[in-house]
Every structure is written in structure tokens, then in C-alpha cells.
Amino acid sequence: MRTKSTQYDKIRRATIWSLGIGLAVAWLGPFIALAEPGGTAPFAIVAGCSGLVVFSWLFVRVVNRVVVGLPARREIVAAGAVAVLTLLLTSWRLPQQAAVIGWPLILAVWAGVAALVQTRLQVVVTGVVTVLVMVSVTGAWDGRVYYYAFVTVTLTWANRFQIWFWQVVRAAHEGKEAQAKLAVTEERLRFSRDLHDTVGHSLSAIAVKSELAARLAEVDASGAAEEMAEVRRLARESLREIRAVVHGYRAVDLQAELRSVTAVLEAAGIVCTLERDGVELPDEVGTLLAWVVRESTTNVLRHSTATRCRIVLRAEGTEVALEVTNNGGGAPGSLPGSGLAGMTERVSALGGVLTAGPGRQGEFRLRAVLPLTPYKRS
């Protein structure tokens, strides 16, 4: 099944395509040469197109490496050499083509892509040298100097702006990932600290009393039995405390989960509509509905091509209903592995009903109904 693209992936592809527009400018050379008087010499066309093919391959490598954050200086140097060689071959022994303005554009395109990894000073130096090489090879020491300078500056500025915007987006994305990892780490530290504080003292007492019982076993059997009874009491109390800590750790806040999944869906390019009542839910019901929300939105992200999602939470008499609907449809074959079977069992265990299937107009709907006063089903 096709993996749904996130907003981050879409921006990354848009960046690559926008940077690749420069290649279209470079390929204007052959068409302008064909339109110029005396500019259709077969040698110039073949040499120029061959050079453009190699240059295009290097250009694409540079863009892809820069976007993912890899070094690309060798590819840039090689692309510059190919650009200069292409310009020389299209002008060599062809004085009648000296005025052709199309072929030098390959150097302007190279300057634009080289600017992706250069400092401001290097960009200025590269731009000046590029324009000088273009006018020197073509002999265009007239108004065309401004034309070459304009194209070079425009491509350089556009590429620099686009890569700057992409770096801002990537930094924001990495910041969100780091924040999520930090939140997980902090939660693990909190859990370990709570667990240590809860059972650390009890386990120490159990160890001390066990050693005392071992010593008393040979001289005072009744005293040893009393100590072991105390050890058993402490062990049971510790087990009860551990269960209480784990239960609190597993509890999920429904309102926080609704805000979280809404933000995740919006970040994935899915318009999310949230409708909820201010009904107070028992902790057990709220936690279970939070898990249902998480599981259902995970299915939306993984198993659908939805662009809209609607989450409705409302009280219906003595029951509360949660409904998650998306316009991406639903593949029945994906349901067994989606976790819905497990959610159905957990909802049923509290006396509720969970249904999932196609809705109206190709929609996919998941609905969970739970009593506000849950009871265990045998």
C-alpha cells in the first residue's frame, strides 16, 4: 500500500523541483542557437547538447546532496568544468556564433547551484568571474553583459532563498523530533524516579528483614517466622504500589490526546475538524477513548489517502460516543493488522461497542460507544 506523504516530504520535493528549474534555463542554449543566424552548426549543437547532458546529471546530484545535507563540492567543481568546456566547444573555431547568447547560460546556471554551498563573499566572487568568463568567450562586450549579469544574479538569489527556506523547514522538523524524543526521555525518567521512590524503601526493608530472619532461624524459629510474615506483607504492599504506579503511567489524558492527534493530522496535510462536548468522563473511560483516538488516527495516516478527518465526541444519555470519520476510504484487508480488533475487545470489556467500516460517499467511519458508568463484561 502506498505510504502517505507528510507535509515535510512535500516541501522537500518542492524544494528539489524548484532548484531544478535552473536546468530549464541551461537547456535554452540549443533552442536559442537554432534561432540565431548562423547558429545551427552541427558541431556546436552536438557538443553543446552532450555537455548539457553531463552537466544535468551533475546538477541533479548536487541538488539532491545539498537538500539532504551531504557535501557536494566535488560535484560542483566537476559541473563547473563541464560548463566551461561546453561553452568553449560551442564557440571554438566558430566566430560566426560569437554573438549567440544561449550557450553561456549554462555558466549562469552553474553559478546559481554553486551558491548553495558558498559564503556570501564566495557567491559574489563566483558571480563576477562567471559573468567575465561568459562575455570573454562570446566577445559580448556590449549590452549583453547586463543580460548575463541579470540572469546570474537572479538564479543565484532564487537558489539561495530556496535553500534557506528549506533549511528553516528542516530545522523546525528536527526540532519537533528532538522535542518529542526529549518528552519521551523525560517521561521515562519520571517513571523510573517514581518507581524508585515507591518501592526502593520497601525492597531495602525486605532485604534487611530477610537477613534477620535467616539469622533467627537457628536460634528463634518463632521470631524468624514473624520476620518472614513481615517480609510477605512488605512484598504484597510493594506489588500493590508498583501496580498503582504502572496504572498511572499507562493512563492517557483524552483532551491532551485529541489536541495531539489534531496537530499531527494537520502537519500531515489532513484538515481535521474536532467537535466535543464538555462531558466529564470517568478516568477508565477517558483513557480507553484516548487509545481509540490514537489508534484510529494512526490508521488514517498509514492506511488511507485522506485529506479530511472529523472527530466527534459527545454524550448520548448515559453513554458517550466517539466517532472518527475520514474521506480516504478504507481497505477491508487492512483492518486485521490495524489494531482495531484489540480496540474492539477493550471497548467490549467495559460494556461498550466499537464499529468500523465504510460510511457515506466513500468515507471510512469508526464509532465507539461506552457507558458513562463502565462495567466489566465476563
Side-chain angles (χ1 to χ4, degrees), residues 201-226:
H201 175 73
S202 299
L203 293 178
S204 298
I206 289 173
V208 171
K209 289 186 173 293
S210 297
E211 293 177 0
L212 179 59
R215 295 193 189 100
L216 292 175
E218 298 179 357
V219 296
D220 186 1
S222 61
E226 292 178 0

Short mmCIF file of all heavy atoms in Angstrom, two decimals, residues 201-226:
data_model
loop_
_atom_site.label_atom_id
_atom_site.label_comp_id
_atom_site.label_asym_id
_atom_site.label_seq_id
_atom_site.Cartn_x
_atom_site.Cartn_y
_atom_site.Cartn_z
N HIS A 201 12.38 1.90 49.20
CA HIS A 201 12.42 1.69 50.65
C HIS A 201 11.89 0.31 51.02
O HIS A 201 12.47 -0.38 51.89
CB HIS A 201 11.58 2.77 51.34
CG HIS A 201 11.46 2.59 52.81
ND1 HIS A 201 12.50 2.83 53.69
CD2 HIS A 201 10.41 2.16 53.58
CE1 HIS A 201 12.12 2.58 54.93
NE2 HIS A 201 10.85 2.17 54.88
N SER A 202 10.79 -0.10 50.37
CA SER A 202 10.21 -1.41 50.69
C SER A 202 11.18 -2.54 50.38
O SER A 202 11.33 -3.48 51.17
CB SER A 202 8.90 -1.61 49.92
OG SER A 202 7.95 -0.63 50.28
N LEU A 203 11.85 -2.49 49.26
CA LEU A 203 12.80 -3.54 48.91
C LEU A 203 13.98 -3.57 49.87
O LEU A 203 14.50 -4.64 50.21
CB LEU A 203 13.28 -3.34 47.46
CG LEU A 203 12.23 -3.55 46.38
CD1 LEU A 203 12.81 -3.28 45.00
CD2 LEU A 203 11.67 -4.98 46.43
N SER A 204 14.43 -2.40 50.30
CA SER A 204 15.52 -2.35 51.28
C SER A 204 15.08 -3.00 52.59
O SER A 204 15.83 -3.78 53.21
CB SER A 204 15.95 -0.91 51.53
OG SER A 204 16.44 -0.32 50.35
N ALA A 205 13.83 -2.70 53.03
CA ALA A 205 13.30 -3.30 54.26
C ALA A 205 13.16 -4.81 54.12
O ALA A 205 13.46 -5.57 55.06
CB ALA A 205 11.96 -2.66 54.60
N ILE A 206 12.73 -5.25 52.93
CA ILE A 206 12.59 -6.69 52.70
C ILE A 206 13.95 -7.38 52.78
O ILE A 206 14.09 -8.47 53.38
CB ILE A 206 11.93 -6.94 51.33
CG1 ILE A 206 10.45 -6.55 51.37
CG2 ILE A 206 12.08 -8.40 50.92
CD1 ILE A 206 9.77 -6.60 50.02
N ALA A 207 14.97 -6.76 52.22
CA ALA A 207 16.31 -7.35 52.26
C ALA A 207 16.82 -7.45 53.69
O ALA A 207 17.38 -8.49 54.11
CB ALA A 207 17.27 -6.52 51.41
N VAL A 208 16.64 -6.38 54.48
CA VAL A 208 17.12 -6.39 55.87
C VAL A 208 16.38 -7.44 56.69
O VAL A 208 17.00 -8.21 57.45
CB VAL A 208 16.95 -4.99 56.49
CG1 VAL A 208 17.24 -5.02 57.99
CG2 VAL A 208 17.88 -3.99 55.81
N LYS A 209 15.04 -7.49 56.57
CA LYS A 209 14.25 -8.44 57.35
C LYS A 209 14.51 -9.87 56.92
O LYS A 209 14.44 -10.80 57.74
CB LYS A 209 12.77 -8.09 57.26
CG LYS A 209 12.40 -6.83 58.02
CD LYS A 209 10.91 -6.60 58.03
CE LYS A 209 10.58 -5.41 58.95
NZ LYS A 209 10.88 -5.71 60.37
N SER A 210 14.82 -10.08 55.65
CA SER A 210 15.14 -11.44 55.19
C SER A 210 16.45 -11.91 55.82
O SER A 210 16.57 -13.08 56.24
CB SER A 210 15.24 -11.47 53.67
OG SER A 210 14.00 -11.14 53.09
N GLU A 211 17.44 -11.02 55.88
CA GLU A 211 18.71 -11.38 56.53
C GLU A 211 18.51 -11.66 58.02
O GLU A 211 19.10 -12.61 58.58
CB GLU A 211 19.71 -10.24 56.34
CG GLU A 211 20.15 -10.04 54.90
CD GLU A 211 21.10 -8.86 54.74
OE1 GLU A 211 21.39 -8.20 55.77
OE2 GLU A 211 21.52 -8.58 53.61
N LEU A 212 17.66 -10.85 58.67
CA LEU A 212 17.39 -11.08 60.10
C LEU A 212 16.68 -12.39 60.32
O LEU A 212 17.00 -13.14 61.27
CB LEU A 212 16.54 -9.92 60.63
CG LEU A 212 16.15 -10.00 62.12
CD1 LEU A 212 17.39 -10.06 63.00
CD2 LEU A 212 15.27 -8.81 62.50
N ALA A 213 15.73 -12.72 59.44
CA ALA A 213 15.02 -13.99 59.59
C ALA A 213 15.97 -15.17 59.40
O ALA A 213 15.83 -16.20 60.07
CB ALA A 213 13.88 -14.06 58.57
N ALA A 214 16.93 -15.02 58.47
CA ALA A 214 17.90 -16.09 58.26
C ALA A 214 18.74 -16.33 59.51
O ALA A 214 19.05 -17.48 59.86
CB ALA A 214 18.79 -15.75 57.07
N ARG A 215 19.10 -15.24 60.23
CA ARG A 215 19.90 -15.40 61.45
C ARG A 215 19.05 -16.00 62.58
O ARG A 215 19.54 -16.81 63.39
CB ARG A 215 20.44 -14.04 61.88
CG ARG A 215 21.42 -13.42 60.91
CD ARG A 215 22.15 -12.26 61.56
NE ARG A 215 22.94 -11.51 60.59
CZ ARG A 215 22.56 -10.38 60.04
NH1 ARG A 215 21.38 -9.85 60.36
NH2 ARG A 215 23.33 -9.76 59.17
N LEU A 216 17.78 -15.58 62.67
CA LEU A 216 16.91 -16.08 63.74
C LEU A 216 16.45 -17.51 63.53
O LEU A 216 15.97 -18.15 64.47
CB LEU A 216 15.68 -15.17 63.87
CG LEU A 216 15.94 -13.75 64.39
CD1 LEU A 216 14.64 -12.95 64.35
CD2 LEU A 216 16.52 -13.78 65.80
N ALA A 217 16.56 -17.99 62.32
CA ALA A 217 16.04 -19.32 62.02
C ALA A 217 16.70 -20.40 62.87
O ALA A 217 16.07 -21.41 63.22
CB ALA A 217 16.23 -19.64 60.55
N GLU A 218 17.97 -20.20 63.24
CA GLU A 218 18.70 -21.22 64.00
C GLU A 218 18.48 -21.09 65.51
O GLU A 218 18.63 -22.06 66.24
CB GLU A 218 20.20 -21.12 63.70
CG GLU A 218 20.52 -21.37 62.22
CD GLU A 218 22.02 -21.25 61.96
OE1 GLU A 218 22.76 -20.92 62.92
OE2 GLU A 218 22.42 -21.47 60.80
N VAL A 219 18.13 -19.89 66.00
CA VAL A 219 18.04 -19.69 67.45
C VAL A 219 16.62 -19.34 67.90
O VAL A 219 16.29 -19.54 69.08
CB VAL A 219 19.01 -18.57 67.90
CG1 VAL A 219 20.45 -18.99 67.65
CG2 VAL A 219 18.70 -17.26 67.17
N ASP A 220 15.79 -18.77 67.04
CA ASP A 220 14.44 -18.35 67.43
C ASP A 220 13.51 -18.53 66.24
O ASP A 220 13.30 -17.63 65.43
CB ASP A 220 14.47 -16.89 67.89
CG ASP A 220 13.12 -16.43 68.45
OD1 ASP A 220 12.18 -17.25 68.49
OD2 ASP A 220 13.00 -15.25 68.81
N ALA A 221 12.96 -19.74 66.15
CA ALA A 221 12.12 -20.06 65.00
C ALA A 221 10.87 -19.19 64.94
O ALA A 221 10.45 -18.74 63.87
CB ALA A 221 11.72 -21.54 65.02
N SER A 222 10.28 -18.91 66.09
CA SER A 222 9.06 -18.08 66.08
C SER A 222 9.37 -16.65 65.65
O SER A 222 8.60 -16.02 64.91
CB SER A 222 8.43 -18.08 67.48
OG SER A 222 9.34 -17.53 68.44
N GLY A 223 10.52 -16.12 66.12
CA GLY A 223 10.92 -14.78 65.70
C GLY A 223 11.20 -14.72 64.21
O GLY A 223 10.85 -13.73 63.53
N ALA A 224 11.83 -15.77 63.66
CA ALA A 224 12.10 -15.82 62.23
C ALA A 224 10.81 -15.86 61.43
O ALA A 224 10.67 -15.23 60.38
CB ALA A 224 12.96 -17.04 61.90
N ALA A 225 9.81 -16.62 61.98
CA ALA A 225 8.52 -16.70 61.29
C ALA A 225 7.84 -15.33 61.27
O ALA A 225 7.23 -14.94 60.26
CB ALA A 225 7.63 -17.73 61.97
N GLU A 226 7.95 -14.60 62.37
CA GLU A 226 7.35 -13.27 62.40
C GLU A 226 8.01 -12.33 61.39
O GLU A 226 7.34 -11.54 60.71
CB GLU A 226 7.47 -12.68 63.82
CG GLU A 226 6.62 -13.40 64.86
CD GLU A 226 6.82 -12.82 66.23
OE1 GLU A 226 7.62 -11.86 66.36
OE2 GLU A 226 6.18 -13.31 67.18
#
